[in-house]
């Protein structure tokens, strides 16, 4: 990578940010396309979002990804919000232009592309586990795809609130949802830690189920479902696809998705 006087700057803001995998594949995409650009992580403290955004914009940064915990708050700071980001209530892609700051959401597109590669969604009963921030983009994607959404959340009121917005039916237990659906999507944080107790008895999953976990690696949910003969996928492709759509928004170029995916896989396998 040759950084010159006219290298364009892109990045990701969040807190913490050291774990972010986006720099790995975004930089590879710039390099592959031959763009004079770099993508760097910025760790921003919770109270500093507005000041940091202003500073980055004034420093000539062209675009940013936005991750936890700023995806919702960033809506209040953009000049133009895409319809999707507005309905989801969160954004993950900022583009700084001469006409102001534009905010988009590409998480839902990342989820949809990943899910559609695995299975059809229209008319299917889909159980969504979780009603937190990550769930909203998934629910939006499922609603647009014409799926019949069943929603479970540990805190019932949160599920009820989202069910109204995204036309879902609330179920009182994961078991109830598993029985009446063919696709199961985990959007909760359960599985992030190795010793997390399971959300439900995963051995109730059958071979006819398709199981998606948006966590980037194979969680106990995914591993058990695979053993039961179910179709499964973790969230790594969703990560790449949302990033690819951000790349498209910033550069106007077709994102080299295969190159991005391979960069990420090479990076992760080299760490094993
Ligand atoms: P994110 O932005 O990653 O979705 P979040 O908004 O904090 O993070 O939401 C986390 C989700 O995981 C929520 O649905 C949360 O359930 P609650 O709304 O009841 O808090 C869910 N979650 C976290 N820990 C859980 C656990 N041990 N069992 C069940 N659900 C859990």
């Amino acid at each position: 990578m040759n950084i010159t006087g006219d290298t364009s700057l892109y990045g990701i803001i969040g807190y913490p940010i050291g774990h972010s995998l986006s720099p790995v594949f975004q930089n590879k995409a710039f390099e592959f396309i031959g763009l004079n650009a770099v993508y760097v992580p910025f760790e921003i403290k919770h109270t500093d979002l507005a000041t940091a955004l202003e500073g980055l914009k004034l420093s000539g940064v062209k675009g940013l990804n936005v991750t936890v915990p700023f995806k919702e708050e960033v809506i209040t700071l953009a000049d133009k919000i895409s319809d999707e980001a507005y309905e989801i209530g969160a954004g993950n892609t900022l583009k700084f232009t001469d006409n102001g700051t534009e905010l988009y959401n590409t998480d839902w597109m990342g989820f949809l592309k990943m899910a559609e590669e695995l299975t059809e969604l229209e008319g299917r009963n889909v159980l969504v586990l979780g009603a937190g921030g990550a769930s909203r983009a998934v629910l939006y994607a499922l609603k647009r795809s014409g799926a019949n959404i069943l929603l479970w959340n540990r805190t019932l009121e949160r599920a009820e609130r989202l069910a109204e917005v995204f036309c879902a039916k609330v179920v009182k237990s994961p078991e109830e949802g598993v029985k009446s659906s063919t696709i199961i999507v985990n959007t909760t944080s359960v599985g992030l830690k190795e010793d997390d107790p399971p959300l439900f008895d995963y051995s109730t999953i059958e071979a006819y189920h398709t199981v998606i976990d948006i966590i980037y690696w194979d969680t106990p949910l995914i591993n058990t479902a695979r053993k039961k003969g179910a179709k499964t996928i973790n969230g790594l492709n969703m990560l790449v696809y949302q990033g690819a759509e951000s790349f498209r928004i910033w550069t106007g170029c077709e994102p080299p998705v295969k190159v991005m995916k391979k960069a990420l896989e090479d990076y992760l396998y080299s760490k094993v």
Side-chain angles (χ1 to χ4, degrees), residues 163-174:
E164 255 180 58
V165 181
F166 297 105
C167 312
K169 173 178 179 262
V170 174
V171 290
K172 297 241 156 47
S173 67

Side-chain angles (χ1 to χ4, degrees), residues 130-134 152-155 158 187-190 199:
W152 172 82
N153 195 53
R154 177 178 61 179
T155 312
R158 259 184 128 180
T187 74
T188 76
S189 48
V190 172
L199 281 167

Side-chain angles (χ1 to χ4, degrees), residues 111-112 115-116 119-128 137-151 163 165-169 180-185 210 212:
F111 172 79
L112 196 60
E116 282 180 342
T119 184
E120 199 178 319
L121 296 167
E122 189 176 351
R124 304 280 300 278
N125 284 2
V126 184
L127 170 65
V128 175
V138 169
L139 290 168
Y140 178 82
L142 289 170
K143 180 183 166 190
R144 271 185 73 142
S145 68
N148 182 26
I149 310 168
L150 309 176
L151 178 61
V165 181
F166 297 105
C167 312
K169 173 178 179 262
S180 31
S181 62
T182 52
I183 301 170
I184 301 166
V185 186
T210 295
I212 301 172

Side-chain angles (χ1 to χ4, degrees), residues 216-232:
Y216 304 153
W217 56 86
D218 285 351
T219 55
L221 168 65
I222 290 288
N223 287 330
T224 311
R226 189 179 301 122
K227 276 190 208 131
K228 297 286 306 239
K231 256 200 258 180
T232 60

Side-chain angles (χ1 to χ4, degrees), residues 80-82 85 90-95 102-106 249:
K80 198 172 145 218
I81 300 159
S82 75
N92 73 325
T93 306
L94 285 167
K95 184 177 181 183
E102 299 172 2
L103 178 67
Y104 302 86
N105 188 307
T106 67
I249 288 167

Side-chain angles (χ1 to χ4, degrees), residues 223-270:
N223 287 330
T224 311
R226 189 179 301 122
K227 276 190 208 131
K228 297 286 306 239
K231 256 200 258 180
T232 60
I233 195 159
N234 69 35
L236 207 63
N237 283 356
M238 176 176 170
L239 174 70
V240 172
Y241 295 150
Q242 62 77 34
E245 294 308 320
S246 299
F247 183 93
R248 190 195 303 279
I249 288 167
W250 296 324
T251 65
C253 300
E254 187 63 30
V257 176
K258 279 191 196 145
V259 170
M260 296 166 95
K261 208 185 279 186
K262 182 165 183 316
L264 189 52
E265 283 164 1
D266 287 350
Y267 175 78
L268 292 172
Y269 296 147
S270 74

